[in-house]
Amino acid sequence: MGDAYAEALWAAHPAMNDSADFVMYWWDHAALILAAKRSKLRRFGFVTTNSITQVFQRRTIARHLAAKPPLALVMAIPDHPWTKLSPDSAAVRIAMTVAARERQSGLLLEVIEETGLETDAPQIAFSARTGTINADLTIGADLASARPIRANEGLCSRGVSLHGAGFIVTPAVAEHLGLGRRPGLEKHIRLYRNGRDLMSHPRQAMVIDLFGLTADEVRSKFPELYQHIVLEVKEKKDDTGKLIGRDANNRASYRENWWIHGEPRGELRPAISRLDRFIVTVETAKHRILMFMAADTLPDNMLVAIGSEDAFHLGVLSSRVHIVWALHSGATLEDRPRYSKSRCFDPFPFPAADDLQKARIRRIAEDLDAHRKRVLADHPHLTLTSLYNVLEKRRAGTAPADLPPPDRRIFDDGLVLILKDLHDRLDTAVAAAYGWPVDLPEQDLLTRLVALNHARAAEEAAGTIRWLRPDYQIPRFGTASEKLDLRGGQAASTAITPAAIPAFSAPAFPTNDDVAQAAAILSALFAAQSPLTPDALAATFRGGRRNLPRIQATLAALTRLGHLATQDGQTFTLRRAA
């Protein structure tokens, strides 16, 4: 398929306005040609940006990998440098994929070293693995199969998107507009933070937030503010006199609701409205750091907000378990990981911790959050990015005495040894809450999390939902019986089980995929209330005893790897951490 074919496809689909749309259409088209029996085409390949592994793009690939007849990825490089770099060039990363007919193993090449990128002879070293390549260009745990779970529903959202720089004001301008003089204005001129504010040094920025008010209410209650928004947002002009404000916007909703942020995030506001604080993380950042933000602060659209003030949730999300999940589930922008609500938070299964485990995690998470904020306040030269850069070097084995002088100052002023100790203690406490060893290899950890996600989805299909904030979530998203229980004054537990559980069909046991078989076994054992025999496990899948030989072989392998405990080879259960 050459340039002429590509041009014809592009001409046939002028509505596609970016390369990702076009690449996915091309992938679709090539896959259909390949699947056609009359076609002489045996395989096809693409060079794309590494965004092909992101949520919307990989859905196209996943659909064809699961089709009848299926396709398979027979070669993939998920993340590779592009052209020769120069000081002012973007760090573009690409992916390479080759697809072929029928289900089969593939070769996954991952970059482990890259040098000389600024020259005409770059040196790229790869690690190579073979196996079933998933839609997200991985081998092992199929993260793309993880589904959103209702327990996390309605709590996570990106921050507001202003669509008008005139909404941002300094404290001096805010005072001129009536802050401190006009009653109630303190609810509508708020502190404002973006990703750079959190990871580096915060600006003294405030934001005008008129969500929930009509234009007439703004004019009558806050006349100075009304005039400012008209001039700086609605009728804003550039230096040449050209109209660049909302009045010139192509989107009718932006023109008609000119005093409101372009994306005010109405779904986020109720989740944080009654809280004293909530959890935030920067959507795209080198280090995945989560922290508490005061509720009087409005996050911008490059922050992801999570509507919880519970330090237990902060602790779990800050632990290695979630960080590994987020790094593998999320996408990347250039070479920086991105935190996607739909892939990193919505499907993530929290542990079924007991009260003592929750208390332990809360205490460590509170100490971690307070420690970081204290050292940043005491030493203005520090930033979260610099702290975690040095922490990363310490984790890699660099002794404090071997750090260069600027890093040694950060190490000393930031008390990085304490920061590392808090993270280590948190990792241990969270792993114990899951009942897993703290030092699980990443692929084993991901396999268990995918299995747990499947188990939670099955629980929820049967009526059991482990709500993270039942008092907030049940009135909005719960079943009629759950809402009735809540109104009746009954204590809402984090796992609500109706008296009658509807029947649901047993899942099929995977064939010809060792990783999927292991995930299915782990999921079934996690959902079980007691150890299971191989026969009992076989009965949980369609086909029953026909699956027994494969189940017995998988049980033996998982036991050898230390994932399962067994009594004389008769019954099996997940191995719990000490």
Side-chain angles (χ1 to χ4, degrees):
M1 291 182 291
D3 291 341
Y5 185 60
E7 290 171 4
L9 283 178
W10 192 282
H13 288 75
M16 293 185 293
N17 55 14
D18 61 44
S19 60
D21 287 340
F22 180 62
V23 166
M24 287 303 98
Y25 173 76
W26 200 358
W27 218 101
D28 252 340
H29 201 82
L32 292 173
I33 292 174
L34 185 60
K37 292 183 179 179
R38 63 180 180 274
S39 172
K40 295 181 179 180
L41 182 65
R42 293 291 177 265
R43 59 177 58 191
F44 66 88
F46 289 113
V47 176
T48 67
T49 64
N50 64 356
S51 64
I52 195 173
T53 62
Q54 294 182 16
V55 177
F56 293 107
Q57 288 90 317
R58 71 185 179 210
R59 284 177 182 167
T60 298
I61 300 175
R63 186 170 68 252
H64 291 290
L65 298 185
K68 294 182 180 180
L71 301 185
L73 291 168
V74 294
M75 194 285 289
I77 304 176
D79 185 54
H80 190 287
W82 184 226
T83 57
K84 183 170 72 174
L85 290 178
S86 61
D88 57 348
S89 65
V92 175
R93 311 289 294 187
I94 63 168
M96 305 180 207
T97 51
V98 177
R101 287 180 175 176
E102 305 302 332
R103 204 179 303 278
Q104 55 188 289
S105 294
L107 174 66
L108 181 69
L109 299 174
E110 296 180 280
V111 174
I112 57 175
E113 185 178 357
E114 48 190 67
T115 58
L117 299 184
E118 72 286 355
T119 72
D120 292 322
Q123 300 295 313
I124 311 294
F126 300 95
S127 66
R129 289 190 294 157
T130 58
T132 300
I133 301 178
N134 302 316
D136 58 353
L137 307 191
T138 62
I139 288 177
D142 186 5
L143 293 172
S145 72
R147 292 165 283 177
I149 49 181
R150 292 189 61 201
N152 300 4
E153 188 174 357
L155 297 183
C156 186
S157 171
R158 292 174 66 183
V160 302
S161 184
L162 302 183
H163 292 273
F167 287 111
I168 302 176
V169 295
T170 64
V173 170
E175 184 178 355
H176 175 72
L177 295 176
L179 187 62
R181 294 183 291 107
R182 293 285 184 185
L185 189 53
E186 67 280 357
K187 297 179 181 178
H188 300 288
I189 299 184
R190 308 167 60 184
L191 292 175
Y192 186 58
R193 293 292 180 265
N194 63 15
R196 184 171 295 180
D197 293 328
L198 264 63
M199 300 305 294
S200 185
H201 297 291
R203 306 161 296 163
Q204 297 304 308
M206 305 188 80
V207 65
I208 298 168
D209 179 21
L210 300 172
F211 183 77
L213 298 180
T214 66
D216 289 342
E217 288 173 327
V218 177
R219 184 175 56 245
S220 62
K221 293 180 179 180
F222 313 118
E224 299 92 346
L225 198 61
Y226 180 89
Q227 178 167 294
H228 174 87
I229 294 296
V230 169
L231 294 176
E232 298 298 325
V233 176
K234 184 178 187 291
E235 300 174 1
K236 178 70 174 176
K237 297 179 180 179
D238 64 15
D239 294 339
T240 67
K242 179 183 177 182
L243 182 64
I244 58 174
R246 288 284 189 87
D247 281 352
N249 199 286
N250 291 330
R251 187 176 296 187
S253 62
Y254 289 179
R255 293 195 307 273
E256 295 165 3
N257 300 296
W258 50 267
W259 69 100
I260 304 293
H261 300 158
E263 301 295 339
R265 307 302 180 197
E267 71 281 10
L268 172 66
R269 291 171 184 270
I272 63 176
S273 64
R274 297 176 181 269
L275 303 180
D276 293 326
R277 61 187 183 179
F278 56 93
I279 300 168
V280 294
T281 189
V282 181
E283 183 185 51
T284 304
K286 178 181 179 182
H287 304 290
R288 180 53 52 212
I289 302 170
L290 294 102
M291 68 199 80
F292 279 127
M293 175 180 282
D296 61 357
T297 304
L298 197 64
D300 100 323
N301 71 306
M302 294 311 293
L303 296 180
V304 178
I306 298 164
S308 173
E309 60 185 351
D310 190 342
F312 167 69
H313 296 147
L314 175 66
V316 173
L317 295 172
S318 299
S319 73
R320 175 178 178 262
V321 173
H322 181 68
I323 301 304
V324 168
W325 169 272
L327 289 175
H328 286 80
S329 296
T332 59
L333 177 62
E334 296 178 350
D335 56 352
R336 293 167 294 156
R338 296 186 70 178
Y339 193 91
S340 164
K341 165 192 178 297
S342 62
R343 295 307 308 166
C344 299
F345 183 81
D346 289 351
F348 179 72
F350 281 75
D354 60 34
D355 290 344
L356 182 60
Q357 291 169 331
K358 287 182 178 180
R360 184 178 297 118
I361 292 169
R362 284 190 184 105
R363 184 170 61 252
I364 301 170
E366 293 281 15
D367 289 346
L368 174 63
D369 197 59
H371 173 78
R372 294 183 300 209
K373 289 172 178 172
R374 182 170 55 249
V375 297
L376 292 175
D378 291 345
H379 302 282
H381 72 93
L382 295 177
T383 67
L384 276 176
T385 297
S386 67
L387 276 178
Y388 278 81
N389 283 341
V390 174
L391 174 62
E392 195 172 82
K393 293 179 181 179
R394 184 71 189 99
R395 283 173 166 167
T398 304
D402 295 332
L403 291 169
D407 285 351
R408 182 56 195 259
R409 184 187 178 196
I410 294 169
F411 179 87
D412 291 335
D413 291 350
L415 302 174
V416 173
L417 274 183
I418 296 176
L419 180 64
K420 180 179 181 299
D421 178 67
L422 288 168
H423 273 291
D424 290 345
R425 288 166 54 201
L426 188 61
D427 291 345
T428 300
V430 172
Y434 280 99
W436 300 340
V438 69
D439 57 350
L440 276 174
E442 286 191 2
Q443 279 302 317
D444 291 348
L445 178 58
L446 293 170
T447 296
R448 292 190 181 208
L449 285 170
V450 170
L452 182 53
N453 168 272
H454 293 174
R456 291 287 170 79
E459 280 184 350
E460 293 184 350
T464 300
I465 303 173
R466 302 171 185 266
W467 298 108
L468 296 184
R469 280 182 61 193
D471 59 330
Y472 169 75
Q473 292 172 294
I474 290 176
R476 290 164 176 80
F477 315 116
T479 64
S481 61
E482 289 173 337
K483 294 175 182 179
L484 184 62
D485 287 346
L486 206 60
R487 287 196 297 269
Q490 297 182 20
S493 68
T494 55
I496 310 296
T497 308
I501 297 178
F504 61 98
S505 59
F509 190 72
T511 59
N512 302 323
D513 190 329
D514 293 343
V515 172
Q517 291 172 5
I521 295 271
L522 291 171
S523 176
L525 288 173
F526 188 92
Q529 299 298 312
S530 59
L532 296 180
T533 65
D535 283 334
L537 272 168
T540 66
F541 299 100
R542 289 201 300 271
R545 290 183 59 83
R546 290 201 305 271
N547 300 313
L548 193 56
R550 285 174 292 167
I551 288 174
Q552 289 173 325
T554 305
L555 286 170
L558 290 172
T559 302
R560 287 195 302 272
L561 292 171
H563 298 311
L564 303 182
T566 181
Q567 295 183 357
D568 301 324
Q570 301 301 311
T571 61
F572 295 82
T573 186
L574 289 179
R575 185 179 296 279
R576 302 288 176 175

